[in-house]
Amino acid sequence: MKDKALSVQNLCAGYHGSEALQDVCFSVNRGDYLGICGPNGSGKSTLVKVILGLLAPTSGEVSLLGTPKSSFQRWDRIGYLPQGLQFFNPHFPATVDEVIRLGRLSAKKFPRRFSREDAAAVDRTMEWMGISNIRGSMIGELSGGLRQRVLLARALVNDPELLVLDEPTTALDPETRESFYKLTFEMNRERKSTVLLVTHDTATIGKYASHLLYLDKKVIFYGDFEDFCNSSEMTGFFGEHGQHLVCHRH
Amino acid sequence: MIITEMLSYGFMQRALVGGSLIAILCSVLGVFLVLRRLSLIGDGLAHVTFGSVALALLFRLQSVYMTLAIIPVVLASSMGILQLAQKARIYGDAAIGIVSAIGIATGVMLASVAGGFNVDLFSYLFGNILSISSSELVIAALLFVIVIACVVMFYNELFASTFDEDLAKSSGIDTERINTVLVLMTALTVVLAMKVVGIMLISALLIIPAVSALQIAKGFKSAIVTAAVIGVVTVICGISLSFVMNLPSGATIVLINFAVLLATFGGRALRGHK
Ligand SMILES: Nc1ncnc2c1ncn2[C@@H]1O[C@H](COP(=O)(O)OP(=O)(O)OP(=O)(O)O)[C@@H](O)[C@H]1O
Ligand SMILES: [Mg+2]
């Protein structure tokens, strides 16, 4: 149990009585790169929200980095990039460095003050992601792709052990998307972060992810890519073509 | 000089100092309220304050005693309004509208039981900062220190929850507690602001300097500071102008704020066309 980055057991969750997740079980080893796929409304974002404690499950257990979620406190060890900001206001008066620095709050106790160390971490992250030149720009005046990059920087600023990304690439052009994937791949390979990435991009995810979770309210498939490609059950589910598309690991 | 004459009066000194303190509170909290789409809460609280004032007048409470008596009522109502706004997610604004209406209706009912609208109630409706007493100024200064201390202590958490509530939660911030702090601070501020612009115009003092600042700010801290500066400058100008030209101070302050808002809109548009 201790060496798991994430463990989800018999998880059920929903909104106002309607069930969005039914009896979901899986666990992720440290250092894995898990791609989470499934059709619209299949509960991917719901799963992410429950993992991060944004939504209370109706039943089931979640453990983060070896600690049951109810006693988990180290939010600085987890980086999160949401599917979209709840109410993104293009006139929100915050600069890029102010937004990235917000990521450092999770490591702090009341009264959560920033130090020079935080400024250094923000600088390092911006440098690494190649966005130092826009540090003083207003977040609302950036293009969608750059804004997404800034929010990823916010998620990465603590060097998280577990990185949770909910459809980070939907608004990106193919080139930016590729560099986005490369960045997460680097996080996974070089910094040994465990990555959970929700995506509809089934044709690309196989290039980067080590494991696949296919969700449709229930777990349809969970395992590594080899298993997925060799599974005749999945051939039945997706058809040969569909399975080949996911497995097409170039 | 008219300025030296103006500053030689004790009541003008009190008005300028008290007005500036309250303006800072309103503008700073206003930035958070506007960005979190909670500006309506200020309005709802103002109307609840009206009901509380009428109740206090019924018990013949005046000036400082009035302020002290209505603070707990308004604080309690603010918690109720927050619950409504959060629980009734979709109809949150309608819920606040209902509370506002109940505040006003209660006030009107109590006032008529107490013998009809009198000069007192009228002065609370439209405010008169020029009549602020020394003890009222002391209360204002005290509450100013409390509210500013809260803003400073919770600044980063307020900023994070304002930027995105889910992201803040995923950083381990208790956003519900932060919302409570924000609304309680607003309640205290609304009670004070009543003296400056009156119940009818409190939400203007909360919203307009903040919106003006948001037009021109270049960052979050800059938005807060700009709002505070706009608030203080417009209140000082408004008080002075109302003294010199014998105009109602609350209305003068609000109209000057509106002029500033138009100017910042213009400034933004010009910048956009460059
Ligand atoms: N805030 C909400 N309130 C009520 N129902 C919701 C809410 N969010 C999601 N749902 C419902 O829960 C189900 C799962 O939604 P979820 O957002 O988890 O899907 P998803 O797999 O992330 O879809 P997508 O690919 O479109 O992002 C859907 O049926 C959706 O209608
Ligand atoms: Mg989703």
Side-chain angles (χ1 to χ4, degrees):
Chain A
M1 235 3 178
K2 280 269 174 260
D3 54 333
K4 298 283 185 210
L6 170 70
S7 129
V8 173
Q9 275 167 14
N10 306 105
L11 186 75
C12 297
Y15 306 87
H16 322 292
S18 74
E19 217 166 35
L21 291 175
Q22 289 168 358
D23 202 25
V24 171
C25 294
F26 66 96
S27 61
V28 182
N29 287 317
R30 285 179 196 242
D32 281 359
Y33 189 135
L34 175 66
I36 302 176
C37 302
N40 289 127
S42 56
K44 303 181 297 294
S45 299
T46 306
L47 175 65
V48 164
K49 284 184 198 159
V50 173
I51 291 172
L52 292 163
L54 305 177
L55 181 72
T58 36
S59 66
E61 300 290 333
V62 176
S63 286
L64 290 162
L65 302 169
T67 314
K69 210 191 66 204
S70 51
S71 52
F72 187 82
Q73 294 286 334
R74 297 292 310 275
W75 295 106
D76 56 310
R77 293 164 70 190
I78 298 185
Y80 169 47
L81 177 60
Q83 180 165 9
L85 294 175
Q86 275 176 308
F87 309 100
F88 185 71
N89 167 3
H91 299 305
F92 195 94
T95 57
V96 165
D97 56 346
E98 279 179 319
V99 169
I100 297 175
R101 206 170 47 176
L102 280 181
R104 297 287 292 181
L105 278 183
S106 47
K108 304 199 175 295
K109 300 248 170 309
F110 182 79
R112 302 191 197 245
R113 284 277 160 269
F114 292 120
S115 64
R116 214 172 291 153
E117 238 172 88
D118 298 314
V122 171
D123 285 344
R124 250 194 335 266
T125 311
M126 284 196 291
E127 192 104 349
W128 184 60
M129 298 192 54
I131 49 173
S132 302
N133 55 320
I134 55 161
R135 61 174 314 144
S137 308
M138 299 272 276
I139 182 83
E141 290 169 2
L142 302 176
S143 70
L146 264 181
R147 185 161 68 232
Q148 201 66 345
R149 212 169 243 264
V150 170
L151 292 175
L152 179 64
R154 197 208 73 97
L156 296 182
V157 72
N158 291 316
D159 255 328
E161 289 163 52
L162 175 63
L163 189 56
V164 183
L165 310 164
D166 193 353
E167 289 188 42
T169 57
T170 23
L172 307 182
D173 64 53
E175 208 172 304
T176 321
R177 183 177 312 175
E178 202 63 23
S179 74
F180 209 92
Y181 276 125
K182 288 227 172 74
L183 224 51
T184 60
F185 194 61
E186 240 174 86
M187 276 303 286
N188 178 245
R189 276 295 145 90
E190 286 165 25
R191 307 198 178 192
K192 307 286 173 234
S193 301
T194 310
V195 176
L196 258 60
L197 186 127
V198 175
T199 181
H200 287 290
D201 203 355
T202 40
T204 319
I205 188 65
K207 246 200 308 190
Y208 301 100
S210 60
H211 290 70
L212 174 71
L213 173 66
Y214 195 93
L215 207 62
D216 196 355
K217 284 198 177 182
K218 293 179 248 185
V219 177
I220 304 289
F221 175 83
Y222 178 63
D224 65 27
F225 268 86
E226 303 305 321
D227 291 347
F228 179 80
C229 301
N230 299 329
S231 152
S232 50
E233 197 187 335
M234 288 301 114
T235 317
F237 190 81
F238 286 94
E240 208 149 312
H241 177 70
Q243 187 183 26
H244 180 74
L245 211 60
V246 180
C247 289
H248 196 58
R249 301 183 75 175
H250 311 285
Chain B
M1 262 305 275
I2 194 150
I3 294 183
T4 44
E5 185 207 330
M6 199 171 81
L7 291 177
S8 68
Y9 294 111
F11 74 89
M12 276 305 279
Q13 294 165 1
R14 287 196 299 273
L16 290 171
V17 172
S20 302
L21 295 183
I22 297 167
I24 291 175
L25 295 186
C26 285
S27 329
V28 169
L29 293 178
V31 172
F32 293 111
L33 293 173
V34 166
L35 287 174
R36 305 210 60 187
R37 297 166 199 228
L38 291 175
S39 357
L40 257 170
I41 283 192
D43 210 42
L45 282 174
H47 293 146
V48 169
T49 309
F50 176 75
S52 325
V53 164
L55 186 65
L57 284 176
L58 195 62
F59 290 102
R60 309 244 171 276
L61 296 173
Q62 291 287 344
S63 81
V64 195
Y65 302 106
M66 158 78 78
T67 309
L68 292 178
I70 63 178
I71 282 177
V73 181
V74 179
L75 284 178
S77 321
S78 72
M79 295 293 48
I81 290 184
L82 182 63
Q83 290 299 318
L84 275 177
Q86 280 177 342
K87 292 277 141 52
R89 260 271 173 245
I90 310 162
Y91 300 113
D93 54 347
I96 295 173
I98 294 169
V99 175
S100 296
I102 293 172
I104 295 279
T106 312
V108 172
M109 193 61 84
L110 290 172
S112 91
V113 169
F117 284 89
N118 49 28
V119 183
D120 277 346
L121 195 59
F122 197 76
S123 87
Y124 287 104
L125 276 179
F126 298 104
N128 186 4
I129 186 70
L130 298 182
S131 74
I132 190 170
S133 69
S134 304
S135 40
E136 280 175 315
L137 184 59
V138 169
I139 297 224
L142 228 105
L143 292 181
F144 174 82
V145 171
I146 292 174
V147 173
I148 289 295
C150 278
V151 172
V152 171
M153 276 192 298
F154 290 105
Y155 175 77
N156 283 320
E157 283 161 276
L158 279 165
F159 175 24
S161 335
T162 307
F163 182 65
D164 187 88
E165 214 165 315
D166 271 357
L167 275 182
K169 271 190 213 155
S170 77
S171 305
I173 291 170
D174 183 348
T175 53
E176 271 174 35
R177 188 181 64 170
I178 294 299
N179 284 341
T180 308
V181 169
L182 178 61
V183 170
L184 288 178
M185 290 192 299
T186 307
L188 288 179
T189 303
V190 162
V191 172
L192 292 179
M194 177 175 73
K195 192 73 196 177
V196 183
V197 287
I199 288 161
M200 302 290 284
L201 294 174
I202 287 173
S203 56
L205 204 54
L206 280 169
I207 296 170
I208 304 178
V211 174
S212 303
L214 290 176
Q215 304 306 312
I216 49 179
K218 283 276 154 220
F220 198 73
K221 200 161 264 171
S222 122
I224 303 266
V225 173
T226 312
V229 169
I230 291 176
V232 169
V233 170
T234 52
V235 164
I236 288 179
C237 291
I239 291 175
S240 310
L241 197 66
S242 73
F243 172 79
V244 173
M245 303 183 62
N246 197 21
L247 297 168
S249 53
T252 313
I253 291 169
V254 170
L255 289 176
I256 289 179
N257 258 300
F258 183 59
V260 171
L261 176 65
L262 289 181
T264 56
F265 263 131
R268 193 192 180 98
L270 279 181
R271 229 179 33 200
H273 281 295
K274 261 197 300 208

